[in-house]
Amino acid sequence: KSSDLDKIKAFTKQNKVLANATTFGKAKGKNVIIFHLESFQQFMLDYRWDGQEVTPNLNAFYHDTNTTSFDNFYNQVGQGKTSDAELMLENSLYGTASGSVMTNYGTTNTFQAMPSVLDQMGYTTAAFHGDVPSFWNRDNAYKSWGYQYFFSKSYYKDPDNPNYNIGYGLKDKIFLKDTASYLQQLPQPFYAKIITVTNHYPYDLDSQNISIKKTTTGDSTVDGYVQTARYLDQAFGEFESYLKKAGLWNKTMIVLYGDHYGISTNHQPAIAKLLGKKKLSATDLVNWEKVPFMVRVPGMKGGINHTYGGEIDVMPTLLGLLGIKDEQVVQFGTDLLSSEHRQVVPFRNGDWVSSEYTKIGSSYYVTATGTKIKPSEDPRVKQIIKETNKFVTQTLDYNDKLIQGNLLRFASKSELKRVNKKNISYKTSTG
Ligand code: GP9
Ligand code: MN
C-alpha cells in the first residue's frame, strides 16, 4: 500500500541529518570511482607479516593527506554477501533477513540508486566486474539501478584463457588493465564501480603472483589470505598508476571499501594468532567485522575519522561530498560526515554496535573496553539501550517491508525518476 511508504518516509525523514557545511559539495562535478576490495578487512591495513607491510599501496592510500579514512566502519551484510554490500552502498537499503535482494528483487523492484541519481546530473555510469554478468543477478539489478554500462567478463581480452582466471573470474591485475582503458574512453564526469574478485575464499593464487609467505596459524583456510590480499594491493597499485598516467587521479573522487569478512569468526584460534592475542573477547569478534571505507577527494584535507558507521551510510555520505541534496525518498543510512550522524551500526541479525555500547545476542558491552554490562543496573544506560534496540528493530523491519512490498514504486514521479530499462542493453557483439 502506498500509505506504508508514507510511514517509512516519515521514519527516515525523522532520522535525517544536516549536511556538513564544510565538506558539502567538495567533490562536486568530479568523476567517481567506487573500488570494491573483495573480502578485505580493516585489520589488514598497516598489518605487518614476515617483516613487511602486507598492503603498502592501500596503506599509502589510507594515510594520503587527501583521504578521509574511517576506522570504525563495519560491514553489515547478510546472506547476500557481495550483493548486500553493493545494495547498501548504492541504495542505502539493507539486505533482507535471508537471501539476496539483487537476486530476488533486483529484476522487478523499483529502486532509487546512485547510478540513476548521478545519471540525472549528467554523469556516465558504468560497472566493471570480471565474472559472468548473471552472478548475483547483476545484469538485471544493474539495469534497475540505472547503470548505462556493465562491462562483465566477455568485454575483456581473451576472457576464458585459463592463465587469466582464478576462482570466480579474471585475476585482478588482468581485469584492471583493460578496465583502465575502458575508463579513459568514458565521457566525463563518470561514475564507475569496479569489483575485484581474486581476494576471495579459498585465497588461491598461482605461484608467479605470490610475493609474501603464508601466515602460520596452522589453519589452512586462513593462511593464504595475506597472499591474495597482497596481490589485490599490487593490483590496486597498478590501477593507481594507470589513473595517474591518464590524468584521472586528481579529477576523481576515489572510494575504497571492503565488502565483508574474508576470515569468518568460525576460525577463532587462527584469528587470535593473527592479532597476537591469547584469547578473543566478544568485542574483538565484533571489531573483526570492520572493513575499510576510505574516500579520497582531490584538494580536500583528509585524516582518520573515528565515527561509527557502516555500509548503509555510504550513499548519503557520497551524495553530500558531491553536493547533491539527498532528498532521496528513503535512505536508511545517514551522512558519516555530519555531526548529527547517529553512531549506531545495526547488523542484519539484530545485533548492533554504537560508539557507546555493543549488543551481541542478549548481552551488552561497553564498546571501547569490551566490559560486559547489565543495563538494568543503571537507568540511564537502560534507557539508551532500550531506545537503540527500538531504532534497530524498526529500521530493519521497515527496510524489509519496503523491499518485500516493492514500496518505492508508490513514490511520485517527481520524487523518484524512473529508469527507462528499455534503453539499456549490456550485450557485447559476441553476446
Ligand atoms: C562473484 C563475486 C563473489 O561475482 O562477486 O561474491 P561473494 O561470494 O563474495 O558474495
Ligand atoms: Mn564478496
Side-chain angles (χ1 to χ4, degrees):
K1 277 192 290 132
S2 95
S3 62
D4 293 336
L5 178 64
D6 294 335
K7 236 185 267 162
I8 297 170
K9 267 162 65 176
F11 173 75
T12 53
K13 273 239 165 66
Q14 181 196 315
N15 292 310
K16 207 170 148 19
V17 298
L18 268 179
N20 177 329
T22 54
T23 57
F24 186 80
K26 274 281 172 336
K28 199 179 177 73
K30 292 216 173 353
N31 302 313
V32 181
I33 293 178
I34 313 276
F35 195 93
H36 169 111
L37 301 165
E38 179 57 40
S39 303
F40 195 89
Q41 300 181 208
Q42 177 72 13
F43 90 97
M44 268 283 103
L45 293 175
D46 290 337
Y47 190 84
R48 296 183 71 85
W49 165 244
D50 200 26
Q52 314 154 43
E53 293 175 76
V54 178
T55 59
N57 294 299
L58 294 169
N59 298 346
F61 187 90
Y62 183 61
H63 295 290
D64 187 298
T65 50
N66 288 135
T67 305
T68 303
S69 298
F70 292 85
D71 64 355
N72 287 311
F73 182 90
Y74 295 80
N75 90 79
Q76 298 168 287
V77 308
Q79 290 177 352
K81 302 293 294 293
T82 296
S83 68
D84 280 358
E86 293 186 47
L87 171 81
M88 283 186 276
L89 254 85
E90 299 188 282
N91 294 272
S92 198
L93 301 176
Y94 290 92
T96 37
S98 65
S100 156
V101 172
M102 280 174 64
T103 303
N104 297 328
Y105 304 94
T107 310
T108 47
N109 270 22
T110 297
F111 292 92
Q112 188 173 34
M114 282 295 272
S116 78
V117 172
L118 288 176
D119 181 314
Q120 291 164 52
M121 314 292 296
Y123 275 72
T124 310
T125 60
F128 299 85
H129 185 48
D131 190 6
V132 292
S134 55
F135 204 97
W136 288 128
N137 193 32
R138 285 187 173 101
D139 44 355
N140 292 307
Y142 286 179
K143 280 182 195 163
S144 303
W145 296 357
Y147 270 112
Q148 295 161 5
Y149 303 102
F150 176 24
F151 296 87
S152 58
K153 193 169 176 161
S154 63
Y155 282 81
Y156 289 76
K157 258 172 250 134
D158 200 5
D160 295 319
N161 184 334
N163 289 324
Y164 288 5
N165 283 273
I166 206 154
Y168 284 91
L170 292 170
K171 294 184 204 170
D172 293 341
K173 288 185 185 176
I174 306 233
F175 163 67
L176 291 172
K177 190 163 191 269
D178 286 0
T179 298
S181 44
Y182 279 127
L183 263 186
Q184 290 174 53
Q185 296 168 53
L186 292 182
Q188 297 182 36
F190 59 71
Y191 170 85
K193 171 162 79 169
I194 298 169
I195 303 172
T196 63
V197 80
T198 311
N199 186 43
H200 192 291
Y201 176 81
Y203 313 112
D204 278 338
L205 204 55
D206 48 326
S207 57
Q208 60 179 18
N209 278 309
I210 293 176
S211 62
I212 191 164
K213 281 189 203 144
K214 282 191 178 182
T215 50
T216 53
T217 68
D219 185 333
S220 60
T221 55
V222 170
D223 284 330
Y225 185 69
V226 285
Q227 295 185 322
T228 48
R230 163 64 70 82
Y231 175 79
L232 171 56
D233 180 77
Q234 291 179 340
F236 174 72
E238 291 184 6
F239 183 65
E240 179 174 334
S241 51
Y242 300 141
L243 292 182
K244 285 180 176 160
K245 238 184 245 154
L248 288 170
W249 188 253
N250 282 322
K251 282 196 205 164
T252 305
M253 169 164 84
I254 300 172
V255 179
L256 266 60
Y257 82 105
D259 60 342
H260 51 69
Y261 68 77
I263 299 168
S264 91
T265 50
N266 296 328
H267 300 275
Q268 289 190 34
I271 294 171
K273 281 190 187 135
L274 290 177
L275 296 179
K277 291 192 172 179
K278 280 220 179 67
K279 236 190 130 243
L280 297 174
S281 68
T283 47
D284 283 336
L285 291 172
V286 179
N287 288 340
W288 194 247
E289 301 300 332
K290 285 185 186 178
V291 289
F293 176 51
M294 336 184 206
V295 187
R296 185 180 185 278
V297 180
M300 182 178 124
K301 199 183 160 333
I304 311 273
N305 185 315
H306 307 305
T307 301
Y308 281 76
E311 291 168 326
I312 200 74
D313 302 312
V314 169
M315 182 178 181
T317 306
L318 299 184
L319 287 175
L321 286 166
L322 288 166
I324 299 170
K325 283 237 169 69
D326 62 338
E327 277 142 3
Q328 275 13 73
V329 182
V330 171
Q331 291 187 101
F332 286 104
T334 60
D335 186 345
L336 292 169
L337 295 167
S338 165
S339 59
E340 293 180 351
H341 168 74
R342 185 175 195 152
Q343 299 194 63
V344 175
V345 187
F347 296 113
R348 194 50 260 199
N349 62 3
D351 290 351
W352 47 262
V353 179
S354 79
S355 48
E356 283 186 287
Y357 305 110
T358 298
K359 173 182 187 285
I360 305 170
S362 52
S363 301
Y364 295 91
Y365 305 84
V366 175
T367 299
T369 59
T371 312
K372 194 168 176 174
I373 49 167
K374 282 210 183 90
S376 55
E377 286 170 359
D378 179 336
R380 190 193 76 99
V381 178
K382 191 178 168 192
Q383 183 58 22
I384 293 174
I385 283 177
K386 195 176 149 207
E387 276 166 21
T388 309
N389 276 330
K390 190 177 161 212
F391 168 74
V392 169
T393 316
Q394 205 154 54
T395 297
L396 295 174
D397 182 55
Y398 278 148
N399 178 80
D400 294 356
K401 285 211 170 77
L402 182 95
I403 288 170
Q404 281 151 3
N406 185 15
L407 298 183
L408 286 178
R409 81 194 132 115
F410 294 119
S412 71
K413 293 248 163 61
S414 63
E415 48 184 8
L416 198 167
K417 195 168 169 251
R418 303 302 193 267
V419 174
N420 192 351
K421 291 202 253 180
K422 277 194 221 88
N423 293 344
I424 307 176
S425 159
Y426 300 144
K427 292 255 181 320
T428 61
S429 52
T430 54

